[in-house]
């Protein structure tokens, strides 16, 4: 889908990404947050290469992430090579999920 449609999905609370990306974009606290496949998270306003960001927005291969598939699971599949790294990442994901649930309570 084009970015205009993807943006509307994001405004409705969904996570979006380009098909080949391991990361995603989501609106949080009134701004677009970029979750990179390497675990880096940045505000779109802090992007260092504005032209690269705009060029991505002009593409028409945006998709909504299926909520049943965690982007962190995708990251594990592509970024981690051994069991220790996978277990550490899973532990980190669990802590993040617990923290989110506590914040929502």
């Amino acid at each position: 889908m084009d970015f205009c449609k993807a943006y509307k999905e994001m405004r409705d609370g969904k996570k979006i990404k380009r098909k080949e990306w391991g990361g995603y974009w989501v609106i949080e606290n009134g701004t677009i947050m970029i979750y990179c496949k390497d675990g880096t998270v940045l505000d779109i306003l802090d992007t260092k290469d504005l032209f690269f960001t705009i060029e991505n927005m002009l593409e028409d291969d945006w998709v909504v992430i299926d909520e049943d598939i965690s982007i962190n699971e995708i990251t594990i599949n592509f970024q981690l090579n051994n069991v220790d790294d996978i277990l550490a990442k899973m532990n980190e994901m669990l802590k993040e999920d617990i923290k989110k649930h506590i914040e929502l309570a």
Side-chain angles (χ1 to χ4, degrees):
M1 81 180 79
D2 64 31
F3 186 74
C4 184
K5 291 176 185 170
Y7 177 74
K8 288 176 184 174
E9 295 285 347
M10 197 169 40
R11 293 280 307 209
D12 288 338
K14 300 202 174 115
K15 298 172 185 172
I16 63 168
K17 70 182 212 91
R18 292 195 53 212
K19 283 186 180 182
E20 74 275 2
W21 283 1
Y24 64 93
W25 292 8
V26 64
I27 294 177
E28 293 177 347
N29 301 318
T31 189
I32 296 174
M33 297 302 293
I34 301 172
Y35 284 77
C36 303
K37 68 180 181 180
D38 68 0
T40 305
V41 180
L42 66 139
D43 188 314
I44 196 168
L45 299 174
D46 296 330
T47 184
K48 295 188 183 348
D49 189 344
L50 181 60
F51 291 108
F52 178 76
T53 302
I54 292 171
E55 288 169 7
N56 279 295
M57 293 168 125
L58 295 173
E59 296 297 334
D60 64 356
D61 62 347
W62 289 89
V63 296
V64 174
I65 293 178
D66 183 349
E67 289 299 322
D68 292 335
I69 301 173
S70 167
I71 195 65
N72 288 324
E73 292 169 9
I74 295 168
T75 301
I76 286 173
N77 291 336
F78 290 106
Q79 296 296 312
L80 303 177
N81 297 319
N82 66 54
V83 175
D84 290 334
D85 287 345
I86 292 170
L87 291 173
K89 186 64 175 179
M90 290 174 70
N91 188 33
E92 178 184 324
M93 289 168 45
L94 180 60
K95 287 179 183 177
E96 289 174 15
D97 286 345
I98 291 170
K99 182 178 176 185
K100 285 179 188 175
H101 287 292
I102 290 171
E103 290 172 358
L104 293 174

